[in-house]
Amino acid sequence: MSNKPKHILVLRFSAMGDVAMTVPVLRALITQYPELKITVVTRGFFKPFFQDLENVTVYEADFKGEHKGVLGLYKLSKELKKLQFDAVADLHNVLRSKILKLFFFGKKVVQLDKGRAEKKALTSGQTFQQLKTTHQRYAEVFETLGYAVDLSQPTFSESKPLSENLNAFISTKDFKTIGIAPFAAHQSKMYPIAQMKAVISELSTSYNVILFGGGAREIEVLNQLETEYSNVKSVAGKLNLEDELRLISTLDLMLSMDSGNAHIAAMLGKKVITIWGVTHPFAGFAPFNQPKDFALTANREQYPLIPTSVYGNKFPEGYENAAGSISVEDIVAKIRATI
């Protein structure tokens, strides 16, 4: 027992969804091992994700500035060594973390097994079966370091009361509130906007609908949707991450693509209905602690090559709108039955 690390350095630099997926695992870890100290090395933008985790601190990595390139990583390694950690959990396993591993000579480093071979078999059509979830893969890193993590009884932080500014996004106090995040990194992962409009139109008659997204084009589209329907508000471009998290924590349900917003809502203990286009939950990226039937997947009789890739960046011609094979009626019915 005595040789187990007491202070673990966790490397998870990006992307947003992956960083959010670490949070339930870390919460379970520190709940089950309250004596353990964790330092998460990540981008400063993600700091609010970890703000209510006991014994977890964030060390901000600036890869565009002082920690850029190999020399910058060497500088970062020297800064981190001053924290006197005992071991490293590399939950990213990319070139940057591999270079840092070299600079951490003498320290035990356990790197994430991404399961590349299994995922290649899945996306090439050799197999079609559920792979380990990313949350399981993260937990296995800590198990190798001596800390088996039970993810079966998760706990979540309590939602905090909304400020007057945030309350303004709740249109009707008597309605339950649904968040909708209609965008994803790739079009092939998105529900066609015309069909999404039909979903919003149907839901806005009996629920508050809050739209989430970012980037100039998304803000423009979401602001337009806000004007077209009653009880619909867009937060895109209007809030910082901390306020968005607070607002999401009060939702009754989140409807999202296979994207970061799904993982953020799940990390906050929300019910999350996900829509999947050319990707599939079998690759292990379903949001945390959600029943399997909360994932609405494209019709594989119509699109037999799904999943065409793990991240949705590769797909054959004609698969761009695969998610559209999920009917508006099925999505609305699932939300009504779940909420």
Side-chain angles (χ1 to χ4, degrees), residues 182-197:
F183 295 100
H186 305 284
Q187 183 197 329
S188 59
K189 293 168 68 170
M190 284 169 48
Y191 199 53
I193 198 70
Q195 287 169 269
M196 183 56 80
K197 282 185 176 184

Side-chain angles (χ1 to χ4, degrees), residues 115 118-119 122 127 129-133 136-137 281-284:
E118 304 101 284
K119 288 174 181 173
L122 179 68
T127 62
Q129 60 188 18
Q130 180 66 57
L131 304 183
K132 283 180 188 174
T133 69
Q136 287 174 295
R137 293 184 186 280
F282 277 5

Side-chain angles (χ1 to χ4, degrees), residues 237-312:
K238 299 171 186 173
L239 299 177
N240 61 30
L241 181 59
E242 199 165 340
D243 279 343
E244 277 203 21
L245 294 179
R246 185 167 289 213
L247 192 56
I248 292 170
S249 77
T250 65
L251 296 176
D252 295 288
L253 181 143
M254 174 69 90
L255 173 66
S256 175
M257 307 302 103
D258 167 23
S259 70
N261 279 291
H263 299 298
I264 291 171
M267 125 191 148
L268 295 169
K270 300 291 103 181
K271 294 176 180 177
V272 186
I273 305 294
T274 41
I275 294 173
W276 300 73
V278 300
T279 57
H280 195 281
F282 277 5
F285 289 95
F288 181 69
N289 198 44
Q290 307 296 319
K292 288 179 183 175
D293 66 338
F294 279 20
L296 306 179
T297 56
N299 185 333
R300 286 189 81 246
E301 289 183 12
Q302 196 174 342
Y303 299 100
L305 300 178
I306 287 175
T308 64
S309 63
V310 172
Y311 302 111

Side-chain angles (χ1 to χ4, degrees), residues 73-202:
L73 290 172
Y74 177 64
K75 183 182 182 201
L76 177 61
S77 72
K78 287 175 68 178
E79 294 168 12
L80 292 171
K81 283 176 184 175
K82 292 176 184 175
L83 304 179
Q84 298 183 320
F85 59 89
D86 305 311
V88 180
D90 178 6
L91 303 186
H92 205 161
N93 195 354
V94 291
L95 183 59
R96 277 195 183 111
S97 60
K98 287 172 181 172
I99 292 170
L100 276 175
K101 177 184 176 180
L102 298 176
F103 296 142
F104 292 146
F105 180 76
K107 298 282 188 182
K108 182 169 185 178
V109 179
V110 178
Q111 293 183 292
L112 173 72
D113 174 9
K114 292 185 173 182
R116 286 192 176 96
E118 304 101 284
K119 288 174 181 173
K120 187 174 182 182
L122 179 68
T123 57
S124 66
Q126 291 175 41
T127 62
F128 186 66
Q129 60 188 18
Q130 180 66 57
L131 304 183
K132 283 180 188 174
T133 69
T134 301
H135 304 96
Q136 287 174 295
R137 293 184 186 280
Y138 289 162
E140 286 175 357
V141 173
F142 293 108
E143 186 171 359
T144 304
L145 288 169
Y147 294 94
V149 187
D150 180 4
L151 299 177
S152 66
Q153 301 291 326
T155 57
F156 303 96
S157 59
E158 290 184 18
S159 57
K160 295 164 185 159
L162 297 181
S163 64
E164 190 176 333
N165 177 40
L166 294 178
N167 258 318
F169 292 100
I170 311 292
S171 302
T172 306
K173 302 302 177 211
D174 296 334
F175 284 177
K176 289 189 173 180
T177 303
I178 295 170
I180 299 182
F183 295 100
H186 305 284
Q187 183 197 329
S188 59
K189 293 168 68 170
M190 284 169 48
Y191 199 53
I193 198 70
Q195 287 169 269
M196 183 56 80
K197 282 185 176 184
V199 171
I200 292 169
S201 176
E202 185 72 29

